[in-house]
Amino acid sequence: MLTLEYFVDDFADALVEVDRRGIPHKNFRPGIGPYGESDAIKVALIEMRRKATVRYANTLTKRQPDLLIPSDWMIEFKIIRPFGDNGKEAESWSQNLLHPYAGNTSLLGDCLKLLNVEAVERKAVVVFGYEHDPAIIPLEPCVKAFEILAPELLGIILSSRIQRCKKGLIHPVHQTLWVFGWEVLSQDEPKIRC
């Protein structure tokens, strides 16, 4: 059985390996940082299959969920980048995690979506994002806000956070990779009521 901790490790290592190759994505500078969410997941999965062929052999990337490991995990991903490839601060980057409505494409919305799916697989959300080194805008406050809003506002019960940090990426803006993961366990009544 694949643990979420092993998955987060494998995913972080795969992103770093893709970064080391220095292949530019579209017209951006080299490195994994400029890859869009779905493209980064796809190239990471190729690397993960190469290194652990049996573990990820039947893994599927699809629309809902973002990644399915049959009989093991349904995983939704979100990418967060406070800065673009050009070094300018990105607008509304934190909405990828914090927009608190069902049907929305935020991480909170993904948690609600996963909770409404009948499946044998365990359910998880994984966030990957990039900072300068040292961080100009750290990801931690946004990630912590997600952990507060999920149970308080929406009653979503999460496992403890799993996180990995990888420094030394080749992109001049996206220098540090963070990968965060939580199992989405259940939903209780929200604690905040009108």
Side-chain angles (χ1 to χ4, degrees):
M1 180 167 71
L2 177 64
T3 67
L4 187 58
E5 187 169 15
Y6 281 131
F7 178 83
V8 167
D9 283 338
D10 288 348
F11 184 69
D13 289 345
L15 290 174
V16 169
E17 185 59 36
V18 172
D19 183 75
R20 285 187 184 133
R21 291 187 191 127
I23 299 168
H25 178 63
K26 299 182 180 178
N27 293 322
F28 299 111
R29 291 184 269 190
I32 190 65
Y35 279 68
E37 179 182 303
S38 62
D39 290 327
I41 294 165
K42 286 176 188 171
V43 296
L45 185 56
I46 290 168
E47 182 63 26
M48 292 162 73
R49 285 180 178 145
R50 191 179 71 73
K51 287 197 171 185
T53 54
V54 174
R55 188 179 300 165
Y56 300 108
N58 297 319
T59 304
L60 306 169
T61 54
K62 45 194 241 174
R63 194 73 180 135
Q64 292 184 2
D66 291 331
L67 187 72
L68 176 66
I69 304 172
S71 302
D72 236 337
W73 289 101
M74 296 177 75
I75 302 174
E76 290 287 345
F77 289 86
K78 283 295 171 261
I79 188 171
I80 51 175
R81 290 178 290 217
F83 291 90
D85 176 68
N86 59 7
K88 293 183 180 176
E89 190 173 337
E91 281 189 39
S92 309
W93 64 272
S94 60
Q95 286 182 5
N96 279 349
L97 265 61
L98 304 177
H99 200 72
Y101 300 100
N104 186 272
T105 59
S106 71
L107 195 65
L108 289 169
D110 285 348
C111 288
L112 294 172
K113 179 172 58 176
L114 286 170
L115 288 167
N116 288 317
V117 174
E118 291 289 327
V120 297
E121 291 85 7
R122 291 167 291 160
K123 300 162 184 177
V125 290
V126 171
V127 172
F128 60 104
Y130 306 96
E131 295 175 336
H132 291 86
D133 186 15
I136 295 172
I137 297 178
L139 302 181
E140 175 63 24
C142 186
V143 170
K144 187 64 180 170
F146 163 74
E147 291 175 320
I148 292 168
L149 288 175
E152 294 292 323
L153 190 61
L154 300 173
I156 298 167
I157 308 303
L158 302 169
S159 69
S160 297
R161 180 198 309 178
I162 298 164
Q163 68 181 36
R164 297 295 178 265
C165 177
K166 304 285 186 172
K167 293 182 176 276
L169 301 183
I170 66 171
H171 194 277
V173 176
H174 308 125
Q175 299 169 323
T176 300
L177 166 70
W178 283 95
V179 180
F180 307 95
W182 301 264
E183 184 172 358
V184 181
L185 300 169
S186 62
Q187 186 174 19
D188 288 342
E189 282 297 311
K191 295 178 183 173
I192 297 174
R193 285 277 184 211
C194 200

